[in-house]
Amino acid sequence: MRIELEKRAKISALFSILSPFIAFLLTIIFGGIMFALLGKNPVMALYSFFVEPLSEVWSLHELAIKAAPLILIAVGLSVCFRSNNWNIGAEGQFIMGAIAGSILPVVFYEWQSPLVLPLMMLMGMLGGALFAAIPAFLKAHMNTNEILTSLMLVYVAQLFLDWIVRGPWRNPQGMNFPETRSFAADAILPELIASGRTHWGFAFAIIAAILVWFMMRYTLKGFEIAVLGQSERAGRFAGFSSRRMIWFSMLLSGALAGLAGISEVSGAIQQLRPVISPGYGFTAIIVAFLGRLNPLGIIAAGLVLALTYLGGEAAQLSIGVSDKVTRVFQGLLLFFVLSCDTLIHYRIRLVWYRFAETNTDGSR
């Protein structure tokens, strides 16, 4: 017996809409089972994971802070994925954007000007885009697999960040801790609301999602992305260049990841450290698929995944579980999202092997 996936003749529009909600419900159910196996009350555990983080005003601000980089990165990834370019290295582009944008407040810290912050944002976008240009060049001109190259470059970026904050950029007044000097006031992203820590990075994320949604829905470039993503051959007949699309999608994705990186460093952390991300670049892949690769859907998905970070922290304090629970929830969610999408497009078919009966003399 073997299992085959047979493409459905007609895809259910209803289940296509309900798929993310079904995946989220299954994640909660299996998450409750996991808590029960850990000896915890599932109801109380799920309450501390998904409800308790939303009970205070300050936690809502933290939710927006964690959602901002997820949304920004996922919006860029949605363009890549819909054009059939698989940028898996957004985490590295996030880090390199943070490093590039931090040149002014770390190296030229004495320069105080209203221009510092806009230049930091632009340099962050440029740093992320240039780092994404490496796998883009390798794919466009050498036919290299962008999944491998972009993923491997993540480790290069992480090690480079670790080296630079322990070496040339270490704060001379920092008592030998591996961190840069704190950013000056002109280099800190201001708060959106005076009552909390939510900074302008969240506004950048919402604006980017709306602009990319408009591009995908109402412009020729959006049509080009859709056509090349579904059929490169059809795109060539329409006069579209797959090579130019590789460059466009990867550079846009890298720029948004770089903007997310410098926004996180300037708004939330306000200095560079050896670790500036809990894995936003990888979690954003889940956000992109949970949002159905739709920039507006990604806004809601980003808030949901940001809630898993806050919930993991709350669950550690309230019920005493490991912080790895957050990763388990995110992994379950990705598994169920992909499983639901697969079953919407394909049906499972069991194929049974039939063996002819053989007589004792070897004849059939």
Side-chain angles (χ1 to χ4, degrees), residues 69 71-81 85-101 120-136 150 153 212 245-263 281:
I71 295 170
L72 266 174
I73 298 171
V75 166
L77 291 180
S78 69
V79 175
C80 276
F81 296 163
N85 293 296
W86 300 94
N87 179 12
I88 309 299
E91 179 80 358
Q93 294 143 32
F94 175 94
I95 293 171
M96 295 305 292
I99 294 173
M120 286 171 59
M121 299 299 115
L122 291 174
M123 291 171 67
M125 295 179 70
L126 181 62
L130 289 177
F131 205 61
I134 299 173
S150 62
L153 284 169
V212 172
M245 181 52 61
I246 293 170
W247 280 104
F248 173 79
S249 61
M250 295 291 284
L251 291 180
L252 176 62
S253 177
L256 290 179
L259 179 60
I262 188 56
S263 298

Side-chain angles (χ1 to χ4, degrees), residues 229-354:
Q230 294 178 22
S231 173
E232 185 178 332
R233 186 167 180 265
R236 286 200 301 270
F237 280 117
F240 300 141
S241 169
S242 59
R243 180 174 292 181
R244 285 199 298 268
M245 181 52 61
I246 293 170
W247 280 104
F248 173 79
S249 61
M250 295 291 284
L251 291 180
L252 176 62
S253 177
L256 290 179
L259 179 60
I262 188 56
S263 298
E264 177 72 7
V265 168
S266 174
I269 305 174
Q270 300 176 7
Q271 64 178 176
L272 282 179
R273 299 171 183 169
V275 178
I276 60 173
S277 167
Y280 288 136
F282 297 116
T283 306
I285 298 172
I286 307 175
V287 173
F289 282 106
L290 184 62
R292 314 294 292 169
L293 302 183
N294 183 313
L296 298 184
I298 283 170
I299 296 175
L303 291 169
V304 170
L305 268 295
L307 181 59
T308 64
Y309 281 116
L310 289 181
E313 295 170 0
Q316 288 181 67
L317 297 174
S318 58
I319 61 175
V321 296
S322 168
D323 61 343
K324 305 303 180 187
V325 169
T326 300
R327 291 294 185 191
V328 173
F329 264 99
Q330 292 173 353
L332 285 173
L333 187 55
L334 178 61
F335 172 77
F336 286 123
V337 165
L338 297 179
S339 298
C340 288
D341 284 351
T342 300
L343 293 177
I344 287 171
H345 290 84
Y346 298 89
R347 63 166 55 92
I348 297 176
R349 190 163 68 96
L350 300 179
V351 179
W352 296 89
Y353 294 106
R354 291 187 177 182

